[in-house]
Amino acid sequence: MKIGIPKETQPGETRVALIPSLLPTLLREKHEVFLEAGAGVSAGFADDQYAKAGAQIVRSAPLLYKNADIVWKVQPPHKPGPRGKHEAELLRERCFYIGYLAPLAHLDILRKMAKRKVTAFAMEYVPRITRAQSMDALSSMATIAGYKAVLLATEHLGKMFPLLMTAAGTIPPASVLVLGAGVAGLQAIATAKRLGAKVEAFDPRPAVKEQVKSLGVAFVDMEVTEDAETAGGYAREFSAAFLKKEQEVIAARLPKMDVVISTAQVFGKRAPVLITKEMVRLCRPGAVIVDLAAEQGGNCALTRAGEIVQYHGVRIIGALNLPASLPADASLMYANNVSNLFATLFPKGSTTPNFDDEVTTGTCILRAGEIVNESVKNALSGEKKR
Ligand code: NAD
């Protein structure tokens, strides 16, 4: 197959969907790789490195899209500025697409792709089964976000993280509360701990307590009477009564905290508000809240996506796309996820997807232009009814 790697055009996106070290395997399987000039530069991979590894460098995006049997991307197709053509319209008719799609938020893009009769696989929909872990970009990118969230907190906090006993005085360790201990939260806990902070964490899923404790940090105990987990391992949406009780438990911890890292999410839903405006007033002046759920509405009521809000001496950081701030490692992990998914979709050099595999059916949103994912179908028919 002719694999096309375009340069990402979404503002702030620095990652690339393929890194040079993955080329030999693809070429060995008789694929050809075309890279838009400069596609890897912001992630630290020069055109020369791709060319040496066997990629063909293409000067323009239209040329790249025109020839590609399959496009590997990071961000969903996008219109790069008023004069650029929408990437969804550049896709070759009946081609394949692998990348993020956020289909429920981008029904308009799906319609454009459907017109081109594209078969599209969404990275967000990789099933969370053991066999698919190496394809799971939500997890790999969450690992990076959890790590970077702590570094952001260290930059904005006016004190150090570790305990220091010096001739100039004793500095107590920073106190960090991590809310939501999934992939991002566990990485935030481990990073804050490595930097010497005193860390506490909470997550309502029953399996998490042991995972948190195994990192050597305290688990905030709270009775969870509701069924917390879906069959897929995600958290369920909790009742208003539970969230109120949770807010009370968090409120009691806030006056002691220097940093709160919040990562609580419920797949496909708005993030739960765990810190209200009134609760922010309980924080120490100078405290920092890094809200990794900013894109889904935020775990703090004051969060504004992509901005830093100051309230009552507290900084609330609405962090967005943190993986793009570490593009070399993020691209390495993402490209591995994509190439592992590609190998599963198109086993042993085949040019048609293996629809007998649950990874293929789980990730496929559009099949030759037809929407095949049930939740996306429902969203589209709901939109038509409105
Ligand atoms: P996520 O990003 O959807 O959510 C982050 C965390 O928020 C979750 O741990 C969730 O329990 C928590 N949360 C939800 N509501 C909350 C609330 N009210 N208060 C506090 N926390 C709340 O989840 P994720 O990190 O992507 O994954 C969650 C879990 O899925 C993982 O920890 C793992 O158990 C499972 N998983 C399995 C696989 C696999 O088997 N292949 C892959 C990835 C993840």
Side-chain angles (χ1 to χ4, degrees):
M1 287 174 105
K2 290 181 176 160
I3 303 172
I5 314 293
K7 189 172 171 174
E8 296 294 324
T9 56
Q10 191 82 246
E13 186 51 76
T14 52
R15 290 168 292 175
V16 60
L18 176 72
I19 60 166
S21 60
L22 292 175
L23 266 140
T25 313
L26 294 170
L27 299 182
R28 220 177 296 126
E29 289 179 1
K30 308 279 178 259
H31 299 298
E32 292 174 77
V33 175
F34 296 84
L35 179 100
E36 185 183 346
V41 169
S42 52
F45 304 104
D47 290 349
D48 276 2
Q49 289 172 270
Y50 287 98
K52 264 191 207 132
Q56 302 175 48
I57 311 298
V58 179
R59 288 289 136 206
S60 77
L63 204 58
L64 180 112
Y65 280 99
K66 195 173 141 203
N67 284 310
D69 298 322
I70 180 162
V71 169
W72 292 11
K73 261 193 112 295
V74 181
Q75 292 289 347
H78 164 78
K79 183 169 162 51
R83 269 187 279 153
K85 199 164 176 189
H86 199 293
E87 288 161 351
E89 290 163 356
L90 289 176
L91 287 164
R92 219 195 62 201
E93 205 154 288
R94 297 195 175 275
C95 75
F96 297 101
Y97 170 97
I98 303 181
Y100 282 120
L101 268 178
L104 296 174
H106 295 302
L107 295 174
D108 53 324
I109 298 178
L110 282 190
R111 278 195 211 94
K112 285 188 178 30
M113 294 171 89
K115 274 198 191 149
R116 314 288 300 155
K117 306 231 174 326
V118 174
T119 297
F121 301 95
M123 292 305 286
E124 299 93 333
Y125 284 67
V126 168
R128 296 199 124 174
I129 51 174
T130 308
R131 184 167 64 82
Q133 273 177 358
S134 66
M135 312 164 205
D136 183 357
L138 287 186
S139 290
S140 63
M141 297 302 108
T143 300
I144 295 182
Y147 166 81
K148 188 63 193 261
V150 175
L151 300 193
L152 269 184
T154 63
E155 260 175 49
H156 288 273
L157 186 70
K159 65 182 262 78
M160 293 190 277
F161 265 38
L163 164 75
L164 290 182
M165 295 168 93
T166 79
T170 296
I171 294 172
S175 293
V176 176
L177 175 63
V178 177
L179 298 172
V183 181
L186 288 172
Q187 189 53 234
I189 292 168
T191 305
K193 178 109 195 329
R194 279 196 290 265
L195 285 173
K198 210 170 127 217
V199 187
E200 294 179 28
F202 174 71
D203 192 296
R205 285 182 301 115
V208 179
K209 186 172 180 175
E210 282 317 305
Q211 293 167 2
V212 167
K213 287 191 157 177
S214 74
L215 290 171
V217 308
F219 188 80
V220 177
D221 260 317
M222 182 182 147
E223 197 191 356
V224 183
T225 46
E226 295 177 18
D227 192 5
E229 205 164 271
T230 65
Y234 282 112
R236 283 187 198 284
E237 197 172 19
F238 289 95
S239 68
F242 174 84
L243 287 178
K244 188 156 185 302
K245 206 167 76 178
E246 184 176 356
Q247 287 170 359
E248 283 165 15
V249 173
I250 295 167
R253 314 299 312 146
L254 287 180
K256 303 183 187 76
M257 294 299 150
D258 297 300
V259 170
V260 179
I261 308 233
S262 72
T263 75
Q265 296 197 40
V266 178
F267 191 76
K269 306 266 184 222
R270 200 181 191 287
V273 173
L274 307 181
I275 304 171
T276 61
K277 185 175 174 183
E278 295 68 41
M279 286 164 73
V280 175
R281 296 173 79 97
L282 300 171
C283 294
R284 292 174 177 170
V288 176
I289 298 174
V290 182
D291 192 343
L292 287 191
E295 208 168 341
Q296 283 71 35
N299 293 141
C300 175
L302 294 177
T303 296
R304 284 211 295 268
E307 293 181 29
I308 299 176
V309 174
Q310 299 253 21
Y311 181 72
H312 229 256
V314 180
R315 267 181 212 196
I316 302 131
I317 304 175
L320 285 182
N321 198 2
L322 290 182
S325 68
L326 294 167
D329 289 337
S331 299
L332 180 150
M333 293 169 101
Y334 184 79
N336 276 326
N337 295 145
V338 172
S339 67
N340 289 328
L341 176 61
F342 174 71
T344 303
L345 298 174
F346 301 94
K348 297 191 191 83
S350 121
T351 52
T352 47
N354 170 19
F355 277 100
D356 291 331
D357 190 313
E358 66 177 305
V359 175
T360 312
T361 49
T363 51
C364 188
I365 305 295
L366 271 178
R367 186 169 176 182
E370 190 195 331
I371 308 256
V372 288
N373 177 282
E374 283 307 315
S375 58
V376 179
K377 258 194 221 170
N378 292 341
L380 269 174
S381 65
E383 203 182 53
K384 277 183 200 142
K385 276 182 210 145
R386 276 203 296 274

